[in-house]
Amino acid sequence: MNSQPNNPLHGLTLKTIVTQLYEQYGWEGLAQRVDVNCFKYEPSLKSSLHFLRRTPWARAQIEQLYLDTFIQ
């Protein structure tokens, strides 16, 4: 089994990360913090996940925002 004891995101799904950030900031707040259209125009969890799974740089920004918001 590949354990990642130093990875604070280990075990969290992208859906969990986006949901918690949405609950904290809302779509408008997410759009202000991470400049991507999936948060600006007709945002939804499904469209955001679809985009973030296929766009590594945007996913990295969302993961960093999660760490800055909830882990530190």
Side-chain angles (χ1 to χ4, degrees), residues 14-66:
L14 184 59
K15 183 177 182 178
T16 300
I17 291 170
V18 173
T19 300
Q20 288 183 359
L21 288 171
Y22 166 71
E23 290 171 355
Q24 179 75 19
Y25 298 115
W27 294 123
E28 188 175 314
L30 280 172
Q32 290 172 354
R33 289 164 177 80
V34 180
D35 188 22
V36 292
N37 287 338
C38 67
F39 297 146
K40 294 179 182 180
Y41 305 107
E42 299 181 27
S44 71
L45 181 60
K46 183 178 178 180
S47 67
S48 298
L49 292 173
H50 181 79
F51 175 77
L52 293 170
R53 286 182 178 128
R54 286 159 178 74
T55 315
W57 63 265
R59 183 178 182 147
Q61 287 184 14
I62 287 297
E63 289 174 345
Q64 187 60 52
L65 178 60
Y66 182 88

